[in-house]
Amino acid sequence: MVAKEMYIGGKWTEGTSGKIFPVVSPIDGQVIAKMHVSSLEDTKAAVAAAKKSFYETRDWRDMDSQTRADVLLTVADLMDARRADLLMTDTVDNGKPLREAEGDVDDAIHCFRYYAGLIKAPYGGVYDVNAGFGKMHSYTVHEPVGVCAEITPWNYPLLMGVWKMAPSLAAGNSIVMKPSSKAPLSTIKLFEIFEKAGIPAGAANLVLGGGEVGAFLGESPDVDMLTFTGSTKVGQSLMRSAAVNVKKLGLELGGKSPNVIFADADLDAAAEWAMIGIFFNQGEVCSAGSRIIIEESVKDAFVGKLARKANAITIGDPRENPDMGPLISEEDMEKVLGYIESGKAEGARLVCGGTRYTEGECGKGYYVRPTIFDNCTRDMRIVREEIFGPVVTVQTFKTENEAIAMANDTPYGLAGGVFTKSLGTAMHVVREIRAGITWINCYNPTFNEAPWGGYKMSGIGRDLGIQGLYEYQEEKQININLSEGAPGWYIH
Ligand code: NAD
């Protein structure tokens, strides 16, 4: 029997490339699985299977919406039954503490239930118009886009894919999914669940591998929509290839989000949230509050509190539920350590952390201590570039306008936080921050119900919420002539 790897046209296959990629656990650098990379032919076959399912067999697209919702609810129930396996898979594959993987799996289950419920939500518009020659009745309907290619990162291996798969399948599309080769295992398990739940052959396909497989999907003229979560650089290259057939595009990209703290804030609470903002999931979070922008008068007191908390963070094997586990890979750890060195070289003050963590068994994995840099300035690389690890910078301001200017001093626009007791200040600053997701007196809570996405170079479109369903739909205008006869123009 072929091991569970790619899933194309309702069949499990190891594909045709013969090329293997190892899946490495960052806990100890051990190879936990060996998978085949999808070849160009495999990727074409997956796209062809999705195309056939959408345009010919149409069994998913034309399934009545109640039955389609029931299938998605079955997916959620089967995930629930396999919850322990799914969350341990993400912990071992990605390195996130078990507690955080639990949160991801529960969110993913609820995401399927949420979109199963939304399938029958009201949509479209009705317009009574006069077209010049007489009355018209105009209305709109929503229809699935067609073949959707979906490419996801490794930081929330299961959840980022589900944010795309649940709404796109709910809308009746046929999909080709490509998870990150750094953490693909929970997505493979989800496809076993899809098969068991009765998603028809060809409606959901899975290919495996890295950038080259993603690039095939970007270039394919048979893909109607491409939805991508990952770095801004890759998002830009996919935008270029999507031009080939003017694919519909959804992009959830990188961030360098500000966390603005005013002197009147509850500094203890702000420090707790700032910790969650930057050290949750080892700092490997697109919305991480990686730039603390704090009112000068309270900076020293605040940095002292934050440093005490950061020094108390427990680091270790994520299966034992420490505060922080390892970073995803040796390469990513080296990249983060490189940024730490650049911060020191550019004159930032290292307050705590700043090194690899190698105590006990951790020496075999890719652990980095929580790191705080003070006295940071706008030109430093650690302030300008997304580090994607447990590293936070601190800058100070004197006036509200200065705080807003600093918050927006980035090409990114994903998220931002504001801490203050003044409602007026909070409302003003949060409206001025050019970002898609903002928090007042908290940082990072995320919900299936509310749309998620970025301004500026953090992306295009929205995941989650009703907007996340509309992303995978086209809206069609239907116009009915309510007057009798022809318009009387151009009659020869
Ligand atoms: P990445 O861009 O390196 O890879 C993301 C996915 O794209 C992977 O599946 C990868 O195999 C694939 N890929 C790589 N090169 C490609 C190419 N040339 N063509 C097509 N596909 C290609 O990102 P990553 O390291 O996996 O994830 C980290 C990034 O993701 C960070 O920038 C983070 O901010 C971002 N992210 C954003 C959100 C969001 O909601 N905005 C959420 C999570 C992560």
Side-chain angles (χ1 to χ4, degrees), residues 34-90:
K34 287 183 180 166
M35 297 279 149
H36 285 90
V37 177
S38 297
S39 63
L40 176 59
E41 288 69 36
D42 302 330
T43 313
K44 279 185 173 166
V47 172
K51 194 174 168 187
K52 186 171 173 211
S53 146
F54 189 81
Y55 291 101
E56 290 176 39
T57 44
R58 301 177 57 127
D59 38 9
W60 184 246
R61 169 186 177 181
D62 288 348
M63 187 180 279
D64 75 274
S65 54
Q66 187 60 61
T67 312
R68 205 179 325 127
D70 287 344
V71 174
L72 296 184
L73 290 172
T74 305
V75 168
D77 290 346
L78 293 171
M79 287 173 80
D80 222 350
R82 232 177 136 171
R83 183 174 177 276
D85 177 24
L86 289 171
L87 67 92
M88 186 54 90
T89 302
D90 264 3

Side-chain angles (χ1 to χ4, degrees), residues 131 133-138 478-487:
F133 58 87
K135 282 204 161 190
M136 298 278 295
H137 178 76
S138 176
I478 301 177
N479 301 303
I480 308 168
N481 182 5
L482 297 180
S483 5
E484 298 214 338

Side-chain angles (χ1 to χ4, degrees), residues 121-361:
Y123 58 81
V126 177
Y127 315 93
D128 274 317
V129 291
N130 191 317
F133 58 87
K135 282 204 161 190
M136 298 278 295
H137 178 76
S138 176
Y139 70 100
T140 60
V141 292
H142 287 202
E143 296 178 344
V145 180
V147 174
C148 298
E150 317 195 336
I151 303 175
T152 53
W154 45 262
N155 65 330
Y156 289 86
L158 182 70
L159 190 61
M160 288 301 98
V162 169
W163 282 12
K164 298 185 183 307
M165 289 184 274
S168 57
L169 287 169
N173 296 282
S174 294
I175 68 169
V176 180
M177 171 73 197
K178 192 204 85 63
S180 169
S181 52
K182 288 181 183 169
L185 301 181
S186 54
T187 307
I188 296 173
K189 293 184 178 182
L190 181 61
F191 270 74
E192 291 174 9
I193 288 172
F194 284 173
E195 185 183 28
K196 207 166 161 190
I199 293 184
N205 304 276
L206 174 67
V207 292
L208 298 175
E212 66 291 357
V213 182
F216 294 156
L217 290 171
E219 285 152 16
S220 169
D222 290 327
V223 168
D224 299 304
M225 172 167 181
L226 180 72
T227 174
F228 169 78
T229 299
S231 62
T232 296
K233 190 162 164 252
V234 173
Q236 287 172 305
S237 83
L238 285 170
M239 242 178 132
R240 282 188 284 273
S241 44
V244 81
N245 61 331
V246 195
K247 286 180 183 63
K248 194 165 192 271
L249 207 55
L251 299 175
E252 298 286 348
L253 309 177
K256 189 73 183 172
S257 299
N259 190 1
V260 181
I261 301 166
F262 285 86
D264 70 343
D266 174 340
L267 291 188
D268 288 315
E272 281 287 324
W273 283 111
M275 295 286 290
I276 292 170
I278 187 61
F279 299 130
F280 190 77
N281 208 47
Q282 296 73 240
E284 297 168 322
V285 181
C286 51
S287 58
S290 52
R291 291 184 297 136
I292 290 175
I293 296 173
I294 186 158
E295 197 161 344
E296 197 176 75
S297 57
V298 293
K299 191 262 284 178
D300 287 341
F302 182 81
V303 170
K305 285 177 195 295
L306 202 63
R308 277 191 292 282
K309 286 179 188 299
N311 281 325
I313 277 182
T314 55
I315 305 175
D317 186 323
R319 289 168 295 196
E320 288 156 21
N321 248 333
D323 295 327
M324 266 175 44
L327 301 189
I328 183 71
S329 70
E330 186 167 15
E331 178 196 356
D332 288 82
M333 176 186 72
E334 291 302 340
K335 192 176 128 211
V336 170
L337 292 172
Y339 272 114
I340 292 172
E341 288 312 308
S342 90
K344 289 196 253 175
E346 288 185 311
R349 183 174 77 87
L350 181 66
V351 177
C352 66
T355 54
R356 185 175 177 178
Y357 179 85
T358 53
E359 298 293 311
E361 294 292 297

